Amino acid sequence: MEANTFSYWERTAFIDNADIIIIGSGLVGLSAALHLKTQQSALKVLVLERGFLPTGASTKNAGFACFGTISEQIAYLKKSSEAEVLRMVDYKWRGLQRLRQNLGDENIEYQQNGGYELFMDDEPGRAEESIGQLTYFNNLLKQAIGKPDIYSVVDAKIAGFGLGKVSRMIYNPYEGQLHTGKMMCTLLNKVYSLGVMVLNGCEIKKIENEGIGVKLTTSQGNFKTGKVILATNAFANQLFPELKVTPGRGQVLVTKPIAGLKLKGTYHFNEGYYYFRNIDNRVLFGGGRNLDYAAEETWDFGHTDTVKNKLISCLKEVILPGQNFEVDYWWSGIMGFGDDIRPIVKQVEPNIFCAVRCNGMGVAMGSLVGEEVATLALKL
Ligand SMILES: Cc1cc2nc3c(=O)[nH]c(=O)nc-3n(C[C@H](O)[C@H](O)[C@H](O)COP(=O)(O)OP(=O)(O)OC[C@H]3O[C@@H](n4cnc5c(N)ncnc54)[C@H](O)[C@@H]3O)c2cc1C
């Protein structure tokens, strides 16, 4: 017996008429929907989402519009190639331009205040390595960003931000920030306006290829459609175990507003494992997944004392030394990682496509990843 029996009206208006069903209403799923409708306006596109809101990473992230710090580029270069580093930076940069073009800077509160990579007193080796490679990366990445002097040393600005324990700092003026919630709200309204249906509270439990179409077994009943796009990111191998995606939880806090907060822009340290920014005169701060990879490799939202204690001590010692602050609340989000940091965009089976694993970079890449899978689904 099906969990629910849909009425004739529900079946004909909501359930049975989709040419393509997208599973997951995160940035990738909705960007795919947007591209499908802009390419073929008559196409009937349905998005099914198990959460009340998108419940993965897209409404939980830090809203950094970035393409990587020097340390992150160095780490990637060590396990790939120069051409690959350049390709990924180019992809993220173009992804950010597409996001802004699709949604409009004002709607998503996009601001280009620049980004900073901090090096602590106790990591001189890492600072030297990064500063030593600055000219190399400026020359390389100029080919993607089209600007000279992407990274520069700005140690003199450290004191002005009121930071503690920081000895060196690298600035990137092309990094931006946005309001993650407004980004997703604007995207949702955009796809609604094009006639995409988004249904929430619907968990897909099984996907079966039936030759000419696909049957979905869900918590709300069965759906039939021509093609399926899987955009479930960290949760991808719950439906297709062969997909190499590992979940990684990110824990985040936001403080209460702080009078006279000196931070402006986005800040990263410890090879990008920690990140903070100013939002409405509060500090948003997240990271620490590397303190216990095993514990954070989970599909469960939540917090651990290990990460919470570390973030609080960094707030006291690095971000707001000598200042009074109160944490207002915490949340967490789940990212999709893999040994390879490139997203997986491919056909999984006939009529079934996937676009998953944007790592911690989906704000930058998600619009293009969605677009790519939509193009593939229309072609095959
Ligand atoms: C704490 C944190 C900070 C981050 N900071 C940044 C940042 O500053 N900059 C940046 O570029 N990136 C950042 N990221 C990464 C970025 O948010 C993600 O890469 C991006 O949002 C991934 O989008 P997505 O659509 O692929 O996945 P998601 O947003 O996770 O969407 C997947 C959706 O699928 C749904 N779903 C899963 N299984 C099912 C099912 N069986 N049936 C129905 N629905 C299902 C989920 O509920 C979810 O809504 C951060 C992520 C986190 C968690």
Side-chain angles (χ1 to χ4, degrees), residues 193-207:
S193 74
L194 294 172
V196 172
M197 176 88 72
V198 182
L199 300 178
N200 287 63
C202 182
E203 178 172 3
I204 283 61
K205 297 189 179 281
K206 201 158 138 202
I207 306 178

Side-chain angles (χ1 to χ4, degrees), residues 80 83 111 125 161 233 237 269 279 293 302 306 308 331 336 339 354 362 377:
S80 64
Q111 295 173 32
F161 291 135
N233 194 32
N237 63 15
F269 59 95
I279 176 75
Y293 285 112
T306 314
K308 281 177 100 167
W331 71 87
D339 289 339
C354 81

Side-chain angles (χ1 to χ4, degrees), residues 23-24 26-28 48-50 54-58 60-64 202-204 231-233 235 239 250 252 275 333-335 358-364:
I23 308 173
L27 180 57
V28 170
L48 297 179
E49 164 58 51
R50 79 170 157 201
T55 309
S58 297
K60 313 282 190 189
N61 62 60
F64 284 32
C202 182
E203 178 172 3
I204 283 61
T232 56
N233 194 32
F235 311 93
L239 288 164
V252 183
Y275 40 89
I334 316 288
M335 290 166 267
C358 279
N359 292 277
M361 305 175 295
V363 171

Side-chain angles (χ1 to χ4, degrees), residues 36-311:
L36 289 171
K37 287 298 274 186
T38 47
Q39 293 305 297
Q40 291 190 19
S41 59
L43 208 65
K44 295 200 170 90
V45 179
L46 172 62
V47 181
L48 297 179
E49 164 58 51
R50 79 170 157 201
F52 162 64
L53 292 170
T55 309
S58 297
T59 50
K60 313 282 190 189
N61 62 60
F64 284 32
C66 56
F67 51 87
T69 61
I70 291 246
S71 295
E72 289 166 319
Q73 314 296 6
I74 291 174
Y76 192 38
L77 185 61
K78 282 179 185 162
K79 54 182 192 178
S80 64
S81 65
E82 186 180 89
E84 179 54 24
V85 170
L86 181 60
R87 202 187 66 79
M88 284 299 280
V89 168
D90 177 65
Y91 195 81
K92 285 183 258 181
W93 180 249
R94 284 189 297 112
L96 285 167
Q97 311 314 309
R98 184 57 49 87
L99 178 76
R100 295 171 59 193
Q101 193 182 14
N102 283 346
L103 304 182
D105 285 352
E106 237 173 74
N107 295 326
I108 62 175
E109 292 184 10
Y110 178 84
Q111 295 173 32
Q112 196 170 306
N113 293 330
Y116 299 87
E117 177 167 21
L118 316 178
F119 299 93
M120 303 301 147
D121 296 341
D122 58 0
E123 46 179 16
R126 184 177 281 158
E128 265 167 44
E129 187 183 21
S130 295
I131 292 165
Q133 303 238 36
L134 211 128
T135 308
Y136 167 76
F137 281 110
N138 279 344
N139 288 333
L140 180 67
L141 303 190
K142 188 177 167 197
Q143 296 169 60
I145 312 297
K147 318 266 187 202
D149 304 327
I150 296 164
Y151 302 109
S152 56
V153 179
V154 289
D155 296 344
K157 287 178 85 173
I158 297 171
F161 291 135
L163 301 169
K165 290 189 160 184
V166 176
S167 57
R168 311 293 316 257
M169 194 161 76
I170 294 179
Y171 177 54
N172 171 359
Y174 305 108
E175 194 163 309
Q177 60 196 70
L178 50 80
H179 189 302
T180 291
K182 293 190 177 171
M183 168 185 80
M184 290 302 292
C185 226
T186 307
L187 182 53
L188 206 48
N189 282 326
K190 184 132 193 187
V191 300
Y192 287 149
S193 74
L194 294 172
V196 172
M197 176 88 72
V198 182
L199 300 178
N200 287 63
C202 182
E203 178 172 3
I204 283 61
K205 297 189 179 281
K206 201 158 138 202
I207 306 178
E208 286 165 284
N209 204 326
E210 297 191 319
I212 50 157
V214 186
K215 178 181 160 193
L216 299 182
T217 307
T218 84
S219 55
Q220 302 294 349
N222 296 340
F223 289 68
K224 285 199 172 157
T225 185
K227 291 180 180 177
V228 164
I229 291 176
L230 186 76
T232 56
N233 194 32
F235 311 93
N237 63 15
Q238 292 178 341
L239 288 164
F240 287 96
E242 68 277 17
L243 289 174
K244 292 193 168 40
V245 186
T246 311
R249 181 173 57 195
Q251 304 182 33
V252 183
L253 65 79
V254 68
T255 66
K256 289 191 173 166
I258 297 168
L261 187 65
K262 295 175 185 145
L263 304 174
K264 187 175 182 190
T266 51
Y267 302 78
H268 320 242
F269 59 95
N270 205 336
E271 227 180 75
Y273 279 107
Y274 295 86
Y275 40 89
F276 61 96
R277 58 175 281 190
N278 177 328
I279 176 75
D280 302 332
N281 290 319
R282 300 161 182 259
V283 177
L284 182 156
F285 180 33
R289 200 171 52 82
N290 55 337
L291 293 171
D292 188 347
Y293 285 112
E296 302 308 314
E297 192 181 311
T298 173
W299 286 315
D300 297 331
F301 293 83
H303 298 99
T304 58
D305 286 343
T306 314
V307 171
K308 281 177 100 167
N309 293 339
K310 178 69 179 177
L311 293 188

